[in-house]
Amino acid sequence: MTNIRVAESEIVKQAQARQEPKWLLDLREQAFQNIQVLPLPNPDKINIENWNFAIQSVSADESIEIPTDLKALWENDDHNVLVLYKDQIVYQKTENILEQSGVIFTSLFDGLRNHEALIQSHLLQRAIKSDTNKLTALHTACLNTGAFVYIPKDVVIQTPLHIVFLQKGNEAFHNHVLFVADTNSQVSYVETTFSIEETEEPVSATLCSEIFVNNGAKVTYGVIDSLAKSVTAYVNRQAHVERDGHFDCAHGAFGDSQAIFETSTHLFGEASKANTRTVTIGRGKQKQNFTVQTIHYGKHSEGFILNHGVGMDESITTFNGIGKIEFAAVKADAQQSSKMLMLSKAARGDANPILLIEEHDVMAGHAASVGKIDELQMYYLMSRGLPREEAERLIIHGFLAPVVAEIPIEKVRDLLVRMIEGKVSR
């Protein structure tokens, strides 16, 4: 792979204009050096050496026109919402109770200005590190948008939080979410990412999230990624769950981008729990690789992974499900299930279950399958008068329903259903 070209002077200039703290500028400077010397990630069963992460366009145009149908996601609704383009907040609506409770729900760069110490203790220090590989270095160096969410100790938020990230045209997109749920807090959160003003020019994107679920906290975390065909994306989401913490994550990947996804949940605390669900549809010549892993350190920790994918046209989709139980994580339970539903003879799907067990007194299990739509199901539906195409669509919706149903905001769930319909119908 050719060296990644980065407009270092322009990016540093923008960072200085935002008056970023010296420690973050130092991180950027070190990351610029690391880009050329660190290796690429090495996802199983796919070669990304020729993937185009090279172009890093920096645009001076700060304006954005948001499509009307996208605005409907947050207008005239009662949930807390934040819409971000680059480092700008283009729309925000929050309940008074958030500020009264000490909740921080803002852009990453506003957070740096107002809550620097809290961010510095977490950002790119513990969950995601800038020197992990070439793409985490690229992400750190070029970071240009993001959000900071902090739920204080013992605070329970009843109304979901929703953050919308917008990527425009050929602009490089390097988005970072820092999410901290303090001791015994509870919250539902949804994060949606959309490309608007699509372009034929290649675009580079990195999306990284660091999620901290402290003792006794309960977090429901929904994610929808919808990036354009022109985008080449690296997505890395890392969750740390402490004692008695619960992390319930539903992820829908419904864009058209070439992408590798790394989702890791670290169950550090005793009796910590995680339920991670991922669904996707691949079409055209799209390539997607998902590595979803749960790593158990705590005694009595429980982790469940569910991956469901649909393959169309000549797409390639790979699920690598990893349940790892470390030594001394006695009574841990690691379970996983990965399934690929193939709609085309030319599509390729892989479901690779992996169990890595270092302790004897544990439970672990896995299931994996790749296959066509069940003809008995098709026969039953068609015998009730449904055309084959409609019967096929119903089966696909049912196949993906375990994740769709877990998104905690109704309008976002409805959007996800329309996105599934749009991908299947084209």
PDB file of all heavy atoms in Angstrom, residues 292-324:
ATOM      1  N   VAL A 292     -16.108  -9.144  15.856  1.00  0.00           N
ATOM      2  CA  VAL A 292     -16.880  -8.805  17.055  1.00  0.00           C
ATOM      3  C   VAL A 292     -16.411  -9.727  18.162  1.00  0.00           C
ATOM      4  O   VAL A 292     -16.546 -10.956  18.061  1.00  0.00           O
ATOM      5  CB  VAL A 292     -18.393  -8.972  16.811  1.00  0.00           C
ATOM      6  CG1 VAL A 292     -19.171  -8.542  18.049  1.00  0.00           C
ATOM      7  CG2 VAL A 292     -18.841  -8.185  15.585  1.00  0.00           C
ATOM      8  N   GLN A 293     -15.837  -9.156  19.212  1.00  0.00           N
ATOM      9  CA  GLN A 293     -15.301  -9.999  20.269  1.00  0.00           C
ATOM     10  C   GLN A 293     -15.706  -9.504  21.651  1.00  0.00           C
ATOM     11  O   GLN A 293     -15.905  -8.306  21.873  1.00  0.00           O
ATOM     12  CB  GLN A 293     -13.788 -10.091  20.166  1.00  0.00           C
ATOM     13  CG  GLN A 293     -13.033  -8.789  20.364  1.00  0.00           C
ATOM     14  CD  GLN A 293     -11.523  -8.989  20.304  1.00  0.00           C
ATOM     15  OE1 GLN A 293     -11.011 -10.083  20.535  1.00  0.00           O
ATOM     16  NE2 GLN A 293     -10.800  -7.935  19.987  1.00  0.00           N
ATOM     17  N   THR A 294     -15.848 -10.474  22.551  1.00  0.00           N
ATOM     18  CA  THR A 294     -16.073 -10.180  23.963  1.00  0.00           C
ATOM     19  C   THR A 294     -14.971 -10.875  24.753  1.00  0.00           C
ATOM     20  O   THR A 294     -14.750 -12.084  24.595  1.00  0.00           O
ATOM     21  CB  THR A 294     -17.448 -10.674  24.427  1.00  0.00           C
ATOM     22  OG1 THR A 294     -18.467 -10.054  23.642  1.00  0.00           O
ATOM     23  CG2 THR A 294     -17.672 -10.329  25.887  1.00  0.00           C
ATOM     24  N   ILE A 295     -14.279 -10.102  25.572  1.00  0.00           N
ATOM     25  CA  ILE A 295     -13.143 -10.615  26.334  1.00  0.00           C
ATOM     26  C   ILE A 295     -13.498 -10.580  27.820  1.00  0.00           C
ATOM     27  O   ILE A 295     -13.820  -9.510  28.362  1.00  0.00           O
ATOM     28  CB  ILE A 295     -11.873  -9.793  26.054  1.00  0.00           C
ATOM     29  CG1 ILE A 295     -11.601  -9.764  24.543  1.00  0.00           C
ATOM     30  CG2 ILE A 295     -10.680 -10.388  26.793  1.00  0.00           C
ATOM     31  CD1 ILE A 295     -10.514  -8.800  24.135  1.00  0.00           C
ATOM     32  N   HIS A 296     -13.453 -11.733  28.454  1.00  0.00           N
ATOM     33  CA  HIS A 296     -13.873 -11.870  29.849  1.00  0.00           C
ATOM     34  C   HIS A 296     -12.660 -11.858  30.770  1.00  0.00           C
ATOM     35  O   HIS A 296     -11.762 -12.701  30.640  1.00  0.00           O
ATOM     36  CB  HIS A 296     -14.621 -13.191  30.040  1.00  0.00           C
ATOM     37  CG  HIS A 296     -15.877 -13.316  29.238  1.00  0.00           C
ATOM     38  ND1 HIS A 296     -17.131 -13.288  29.797  1.00  0.00           N
ATOM     39  CD2 HIS A 296     -16.065 -13.471  27.894  1.00  0.00           C
ATOM     40  CE1 HIS A 296     -18.046 -13.435  28.848  1.00  0.00           C
ATOM     41  NE2 HIS A 296     -17.414 -13.546  27.679  1.00  0.00           N
ATOM     42  N   TYR A 297     -12.667 -10.925  31.705  1.00  0.00           N
ATOM     43  CA  TYR A 297     -11.665 -10.874  32.760  1.00  0.00           C
ATOM     44  C   TYR A 297     -12.316 -11.118  34.130  1.00  0.00           C
ATOM     45  O   TYR A 297     -11.683 -11.647  35.042  1.00  0.00           O
ATOM     46  CB  TYR A 297     -10.970  -9.510  32.808  1.00  0.00           C
ATOM     47  CG  TYR A 297     -10.264  -9.125  31.530  1.00  0.00           C
ATOM     48  CD1 TYR A 297     -10.932  -8.440  30.523  1.00  0.00           C
ATOM     49  CD2 TYR A 297      -8.922  -9.433  31.333  1.00  0.00           C
ATOM     50  CE1 TYR A 297     -10.283  -8.073  29.341  1.00  0.00           C
ATOM     51  CE2 TYR A 297      -8.263  -9.079  30.164  1.00  0.00           C
ATOM     52  CZ  TYR A 297      -8.953  -8.395  29.170  1.00  0.00           C
ATOM     53  OH  TYR A 297      -8.320  -8.037  27.998  1.00  0.00           O
ATOM     54  N   GLY A 298     -13.568 -10.694  34.270  1.00  0.00           N
ATOM     55  CA  GLY A 298     -14.248 -10.740  35.559  1.00  0.00           C
ATOM     56  C   GLY A 298     -14.938 -12.070  35.822  1.00  0.00           C
ATOM     57  O   GLY A 298     -15.461 -12.719  34.906  1.00  0.00           O
ATOM     58  N   LYS A 299     -14.964 -12.467  37.073  1.00  0.00           N
ATOM     59  CA  LYS A 299     -15.695 -13.665  37.470  1.00  0.00           C
ATOM     60  C   LYS A 299     -17.196 -13.467  37.226  1.00  0.00           C
ATOM     61  O   LYS A 299     -17.728 -12.357  37.382  1.00  0.00           O
ATOM     62  CB  LYS A 299     -15.459 -13.948  38.954  1.00  0.00           C
ATOM     63  CG  LYS A 299     -14.006 -14.220  39.313  1.00  0.00           C
ATOM     64  CD  LYS A 299     -13.838 -14.415  40.811  1.00  0.00           C
ATOM     65  CE  LYS A 299     -12.379 -14.661  41.161  1.00  0.00           C
ATOM     66  NZ  LYS A 299     -12.181 -14.826  42.623  1.00  0.00           N
ATOM     67  N   HIS A 300     -17.865 -14.550  36.840  1.00  0.00           N
ATOM     68  CA  HIS A 300     -19.319 -14.538  36.602  1.00  0.00           C
ATOM     69  C   HIS A 300     -19.724 -13.547  35.498  1.00  0.00           C
ATOM     70  O   HIS A 300     -20.888 -13.144  35.432  1.00  0.00           O
ATOM     71  CB  HIS A 300     -20.087 -14.210  37.887  1.00  0.00           C
ATOM     72  CG  HIS A 300     -19.856 -15.201  38.996  1.00  0.00           C
ATOM     73  ND1 HIS A 300     -20.571 -16.379  39.097  1.00  0.00           N
ATOM     74  CD2 HIS A 300     -18.976 -15.194  40.020  1.00  0.00           C
ATOM     75  CE1 HIS A 300     -20.150 -17.053  40.158  1.00  0.00           C
ATOM     76  NE2 HIS A 300     -19.178 -16.360  40.745  1.00  0.00           N
ATOM     77  N   SER A 301     -18.804 -13.156  34.665  1.00  0.00           N
ATOM     78  CA  SER A 301     -19.166 -12.252  33.563  1.00  0.00           C
ATOM     79  C   SER A 301     -19.907 -13.029  32.468  1.00  0.00           C
ATOM     80  O   SER A 301     -19.676 -14.224  32.262  1.00  0.00           O
ATOM     81  CB  SER A 301     -17.912 -11.586  32.988  1.00  0.00           C
ATOM     82  OG  SER A 301     -16.958 -12.554  32.596  1.00  0.00           O
ATOM     83  N   GLU A 302     -20.798 -12.323  31.769  1.00  0.00           N
ATOM     84  CA  GLU A 302     -21.618 -12.958  30.736  1.00  0.00           C
ATOM     85  C   GLU A 302     -21.534 -12.135  29.455  1.00  0.00           C
ATOM     86  O   GLU A 302     -21.748 -10.919  29.483  1.00  0.00           O
ATOM     87  CB  GLU A 302     -23.078 -13.052  31.180  1.00  0.00           C
ATOM     88  CG  GLU A 302     -23.296 -13.907  32.418  1.00  0.00           C
ATOM     89  CD  GLU A 302     -24.756 -13.921  32.834  1.00  0.00           C
ATOM     90  OE1 GLU A 302     -25.619 -13.489  32.036  1.00  0.00           O
ATOM     91  OE2 GLU A 302     -25.037 -14.339  33.977  1.00  0.00           O
ATOM     92  N   GLY A 303     -21.252 -12.819  28.354  1.00  0.00           N
ATOM     93  CA  GLY A 303     -21.179 -12.132  27.071  1.00  0.00           C
ATOM     94  C   GLY A 303     -21.875 -12.922  25.980  1.00  0.00           C
ATOM     95  O   GLY A 303     -21.667 -14.136  25.847  1.00  0.00           O
ATOM     96  N   PHE A 304     -22.708 -12.225  25.198  1.00  0.00           N
ATOM     97  CA  PHE A 304     -23.404 -12.876  24.084  1.00  0.00           C
ATOM     98  C   PHE A 304     -23.209 -12.043  22.827  1.00  0.00           C
ATOM     99  O   PHE A 304     -23.385 -10.822  22.840  1.00  0.00           O
ATOM    100  CB  PHE A 304     -24.896 -13.029  24.381  1.00  0.00           C
ATOM    101  CG  PHE A 304     -25.655 -13.677  23.249  1.00  0.00           C
ATOM    102  CD1 PHE A 304     -25.447 -15.011  22.942  1.00  0.00           C
ATOM    103  CD2 PHE A 304     -26.549 -12.944  22.489  1.00  0.00           C
ATOM    104  CE1 PHE A 304     -26.128 -15.609  21.889  1.00  0.00           C
ATOM    105  CE2 PHE A 304     -27.230 -13.532  21.437  1.00  0.00           C
ATOM    106  CZ  PHE A 304     -27.023 -14.873  21.133  1.00  0.00           C
ATOM    107  N   ILE A 305     -22.841 -12.711  21.737  1.00  0.00           N
ATOM    108  CA  ILE A 305     -22.644 -12.063  20.444  1.00  0.00           C
ATOM    109  C   ILE A 305     -23.632 -12.658  19.451  1.00  0.00           C
ATOM    110  O   ILE A 305     -23.744 -13.876  19.319  1.00  0.00           O
ATOM    111  CB  ILE A 305     -21.207 -12.291  19.924  1.00  0.00           C
ATOM    112  CG1 ILE A 305     -20.176 -11.627  20.842  1.00  0.00           C
ATOM    113  CG2 ILE A 305     -21.060 -11.765  18.499  1.00  0.00           C
ATOM    114  CD1 ILE A 305     -18.739 -12.026  20.530  1.00  0.00           C
ATOM    115  N   LEU A 306     -24.357 -11.772  18.733  1.00  0.00           N
ATOM    116  CA  LEU A 306     -25.256 -12.194  17.667  1.00  0.00           C
ATOM    117  C   LEU A 306     -24.909 -11.416  16.407  1.00  0.00           C
ATOM    118  O   LEU A 306     -24.932 -10.186  16.410  1.00  0.00           O
ATOM    119  CB  LEU A 306     -26.719 -11.929  18.050  1.00  0.00           C
ATOM    120  CG  LEU A 306     -27.751 -12.193  16.955  1.00  0.00           C
ATOM    121  CD1 LEU A 306     -27.876 -13.683  16.683  1.00  0.00           C
ATOM    122  CD2 LEU A 306     -29.112 -11.609  17.335  1.00  0.00           C
ATOM    123  N   ASN A 307     -24.574 -12.108  15.330  1.00  0.00           N
ATOM    124  CA  ASN A 307     -24.269 -11.478  14.049  1.00  0.00           C
ATOM    125  C   ASN A 307     -25.184 -12.060  12.971  1.00  0.00           C
ATOM    126  O   ASN A 307     -25.212 -13.285  12.779  1.00  0.00           O
ATOM    127  CB  ASN A 307     -22.811 -11.747  13.640  1.00  0.00           C
ATOM    128  CG  ASN A 307     -21.804 -11.205  14.629  1.00  0.00           C
ATOM    129  OD1 ASN A 307     -21.960 -10.102  15.141  1.00  0.00           O
ATOM    130  ND2 ASN A 307     -20.748 -11.969  14.887  1.00  0.00           N
ATOM    131  N   HIS A 308     -25.918 -11.191  12.266  1.00  0.00           N
ATOM    132  CA  HIS A 308     -26.759 -11.639  11.153  1.00  0.00           C
ATOM    133  C   HIS A 308     -26.438 -10.788   9.932  1.00  0.00           C
ATOM    134  O   HIS A 308     -26.479  -9.551  10.000  1.00  0.00           O
ATOM    135  CB  HIS A 308     -28.245 -11.500  11.490  1.00  0.00           C
ATOM    136  CG  HIS A 308     -28.779 -12.618  12.321  1.00  0.00           C
ATOM    137  ND1 HIS A 308     -30.129 -12.818  12.538  1.00  0.00           N
ATOM    138  CD2 HIS A 308     -28.157 -13.626  12.997  1.00  0.00           C
ATOM    139  CE1 HIS A 308     -30.312 -13.874  13.305  1.00  0.00           C
ATOM    140  NE2 HIS A 308     -29.120 -14.379  13.609  1.00  0.00           N
ATOM    141  N   GLY A 309     -26.138 -11.441   8.807  1.00  0.00           N
ATOM    142  CA  GLY A 309     -25.829 -10.705   7.586  1.00  0.00           C
ATOM    143  C   GLY A 309     -26.561 -11.266   6.390  1.00  0.00           C
ATOM    144  O   GLY A 309     -26.853 -12.469   6.319  1.00  0.00           O
ATOM    145  N   VAL A 310     -26.870 -10.379   5.438  1.00  0.00           N
ATOM    146  CA  VAL A 310     -27.507 -10.763   4.189  1.00  0.00           C
ATOM    147  C   VAL A 310     -26.551 -10.411   3.052  1.00  0.00           C
ATOM    148  O   VAL A 310     -26.059  -9.276   2.975  1.00  0.00           O
ATOM    149  CB  VAL A 310     -28.857 -10.038   3.993  1.00  0.00           C
ATOM    150  CG1 VAL A 310     -29.463 -10.381   2.640  1.00  0.00           C
ATOM    151  CG2 VAL A 310     -29.824 -10.411   5.116  1.00  0.00           C
ATOM    152  N   GLY A 311     -26.271 -11.375   2.176  1.00  0.00           N
ATOM    153  CA  GLY A 311     -25.376 -11.153   1.049  1.00  0.00           C
ATOM    154  C   GLY A 311     -26.129 -11.111  -0.270  1.00  0.00           C
ATOM    155  O   GLY A 311     -26.880 -12.043  -0.585  1.00  0.00           O
ATOM    156  N   MET A 312     -25.933 -10.038  -1.032  1.00  0.00           N
ATOM    157  CA  MET A 312     -26.579  -9.866  -2.331  1.00  0.00           C
ATOM    158  C   MET A 312     -25.515  -9.640  -3.406  1.00  0.00           C
ATOM    159  O   MET A 312     -24.372  -9.293  -3.107  1.00  0.00           O
ATOM    160  CB  MET A 312     -27.543  -8.668  -2.291  1.00  0.00           C
ATOM    161  CG  MET A 312     -28.627  -8.755  -1.242  1.00  0.00           C
ATOM    162  SD  MET A 312     -29.579  -7.209  -1.104  1.00  0.00           S
ATOM    163  CE  MET A 312     -30.288  -7.108  -2.759  1.00  0.00           C
ATOM    164  N   ASP A 313     -25.918  -9.805  -4.668  1.00  0.00           N
ATOM    165  CA  ASP A 313     -25.073  -9.478  -5.826  1.00  0.00           C
ATOM    166  C   ASP A 313     -23.713 -10.173  -5.723  1.00  0.00           C
ATOM    167  O   ASP A 313     -23.659 -11.391  -5.601  1.00  0.00           O
ATOM    168  CB  ASP A 313     -24.933  -7.952  -5.953  1.00  0.00           C
ATOM    169  CG  ASP A 313     -26.276  -7.244  -5.996  1.00  0.00           C
ATOM    170  OD1 ASP A 313     -27.200  -7.803  -6.612  1.00  0.00           O
ATOM    171  OD2 ASP A 313     -26.403  -6.155  -5.414  1.00  0.00           O
ATOM    172  N   GLU A 314     -22.630  -9.391  -5.751  1.00  0.00           N
ATOM    173  CA  GLU A 314     -21.278  -9.957  -5.644  1.00  0.00           C
ATOM    174  C   GLU A 314     -20.595  -9.497  -4.357  1.00  0.00           C
ATOM    175  O   GLU A 314     -19.360  -9.420  -4.278  1.00  0.00           O
ATOM    176  CB  GLU A 314     -20.445  -9.542  -6.859  1.00  0.00           C
ATOM    177  CG  GLU A 314     -20.990 -10.013  -8.186  1.00  0.00           C
ATOM    178  CD  GLU A 314     -20.174  -9.494  -9.351  1.00  0.00           C
ATOM    179  OE1 GLU A 314     -18.942  -9.683  -9.357  1.00  0.00           O
ATOM    180  OE2 GLU A 314     -20.773  -8.883 -10.256  1.00  0.00           O
ATOM    181  N   SER A 315     -21.370  -9.196  -3.354  1.00  0.00           N
ATOM    182  CA  SER A 315     -20.809  -8.683  -2.098  1.00  0.00           C
ATOM    183  C   SER A 315     -20.068  -9.785  -1.334  1.00  0.00           C
ATOM    184  O   SER A 315     -20.318 -10.975  -1.517  1.00  0.00           O
ATOM    185  CB  SER A 315     -21.926  -8.107  -1.225  1.00  0.00           C
ATOM    186  OG  SER A 315     -22.862  -9.121  -0.878  1.00  0.00           O
ATOM    187  N   ILE A 316     -19.157  -9.339  -0.482  1.00  0.00           N
ATOM    188  CA  ILE A 316     -18.404 -10.236   0.395  1.00  0.00           C
ATOM    189  C   ILE A 316     -18.566  -9.738   1.837  1.00  0.00           C
ATOM    190  O   ILE A 316     -18.260  -8.579   2.141  1.00  0.00           O
ATOM    191  CB  ILE A 316     -16.909 -10.262   0.024  1.00  0.00           C
ATOM    192  CG1 ILE A 316     -16.725 -10.797  -1.403  1.00  0.00           C
ATOM    193  CG2 ILE A 316     -16.122 -11.109   1.025  1.00  0.00           C
ATOM    194  CD1 ILE A 316     -15.288 -10.719  -1.880  1.00  0.00           C
ATOM    195  N   THR A 317     -19.073 -10.600   2.704  1.00  0.00           N
ATOM    196  CA  THR A 317     -19.266 -10.247   4.112  1.00  0.00           C
ATOM    197  C   THR A 317     -18.653 -11.334   4.979  1.00  0.00           C
ATOM    198  O   THR A 317     -18.922 -12.521   4.784  1.00  0.00           O
ATOM    199  CB  THR A 317     -20.760 -10.108   4.455  1.00  0.00           C
ATOM    200  OG1 THR A 317     -21.356  -9.138   3.587  1.00  0.00           O
ATOM    201  CG2 THR A 317     -20.946  -9.668   5.900  1.00  0.00           C
ATOM    202  N   THR A 318     -17.838 -10.926   5.936  1.00  0.00           N
ATOM    203  CA  THR A 318     -17.193 -11.864   6.851  1.00  0.00           C
ATOM    204  C   THR A 318     -17.495 -11.475   8.285  1.00  0.00           C
ATOM    205  O   THR A 318     -17.334 -10.314   8.669  1.00  0.00           O
ATOM    206  CB  THR A 318     -15.667 -11.878   6.641  1.00  0.00           C
ATOM    207  OG1 THR A 318     -15.382 -12.236   5.287  1.00  0.00           O
ATOM    208  CG2 THR A 318     -15.002 -12.882   7.567  1.00  0.00           C
ATOM    209  N   PHE A 319     -17.959 -12.440   9.067  1.00  0.00           N
ATOM    210  CA  PHE A 319     -18.140 -12.266  10.503  1.00  0.00           C
ATOM    211  C   PHE A 319     -17.110 -13.113  11.241  1.00  0.00           C
ATOM    212  O   PHE A 319     -17.051 -14.335  11.057  1.00  0.00           O
ATOM    213  CB  PHE A 319     -19.535 -12.711  10.953  1.00  0.00           C
ATOM    214  CG  PHE A 319     -20.638 -11.746  10.640  1.00  0.00           C
ATOM    215  CD1 PHE A 319     -21.757 -12.165   9.928  1.00  0.00           C
ATOM    216  CD2 PHE A 319     -20.581 -10.429  11.058  1.00  0.00           C
ATOM    217  CE1 PHE A 319     -22.795 -11.289   9.651  1.00  0.00           C
ATOM    218  CE2 PHE A 319     -21.603  -9.543  10.783  1.00  0.00           C
ATOM    219  CZ  PHE A 319     -22.716  -9.973  10.076  1.00  0.00           C
ATOM    220  N   ASN A 320     -16.295 -12.485  12.060  1.00  0.00           N
ATOM    221  CA  ASN A 320     -15.386 -13.182  12.961  1.00  0.00           C
ATOM    222  C   ASN A 320     -15.874 -12.942  14.379  1.00  0.00           C
ATOM    223  O   ASN A 320     -15.710 -11.848  14.924  1.00  0.00           O
ATOM    224  CB  ASN A 320     -13.952 -12.661  12.801  1.00  0.00           C
ATOM    225  CG  ASN A 320     -13.456 -12.778  11.376  1.00  0.00           C
ATOM    226  OD1 ASN A 320     -13.427 -13.865  10.815  1.00  0.00           O
ATOM    227  ND2 ASN A 320     -13.070 -11.662  10.782  1.00  0.00           N
ATOM    228  N   GLY A 321     -16.512 -13.931  14.957  1.00  0.00           N
ATOM    229  CA  GLY A 321     -17.003 -13.805  16.327  1.00  0.00           C
ATOM    230  C   GLY A 321     -16.015 -14.434  17.286  1.00  0.00           C
ATOM    231  O   GLY A 321     -15.626 -15.606  17.115  1.00  0.00           O
ATOM    232  N   ILE A 322     -15.580 -13.688  18.281  1.00  0.00           N
ATOM    233  CA  ILE A 322     -14.552 -14.178  19.207  1.00  0.00           C
ATOM    234  C   ILE A 322     -15.053 -14.050  20.647  1.00  0.00           C
ATOM    235  O   ILE A 322     -15.387 -12.955  21.104  1.00  0.00           O
ATOM    236  CB  ILE A 322     -13.243 -13.382  19.059  1.00  0.00           C
ATOM    237  CG1 ILE A 322     -12.728 -13.453  17.618  1.00  0.00           C
ATOM    238  CG2 ILE A 322     -12.181 -13.913  20.023  1.00  0.00           C
ATOM    239  CD1 ILE A 322     -11.537 -12.553  17.344  1.00  0.00           C
ATOM    240  N   GLY A 323     -15.100 -15.167  21.330  1.00  0.00           N
ATOM    241  CA  GLY A 323     -15.357 -15.167  22.764  1.00  0.00           C
ATOM    242  C   GLY A 323     -14.101 -15.608  23.476  1.00  0.00           C
ATOM    243  O   GLY A 323     -13.632 -16.745  23.274  1.00  0.00           O
ATOM    244  N   LYS A 324     -13.516 -14.730  24.257  1.00  0.00           N
ATOM    245  CA  LYS A 324     -12.255 -15.053  24.940  1.00  0.00           C
ATOM    246  C   LYS A 324     -12.450 -14.960  26.449  1.00  0.00           C
ATOM    247  O   LYS A 324     -12.936 -13.947  26.967  1.00  0.00           O
ATOM    248  CB  LYS A 324     -11.140 -14.104  24.500  1.00  0.00           C
ATOM    249  CG  LYS A 324      -9.783 -14.470  25.091  1.00  0.00           C
ATOM    250  CD  LYS A 324      -8.668 -13.585  24.565  1.00  0.00           C
ATOM    251  CE  LYS A 324      -7.315 -14.047  25.109  1.00  0.00           C
ATOM    252  NZ  LYS A 324      -6.209 -13.156  24.670  1.00  0.00           N
TER     253      LYS A 324
END
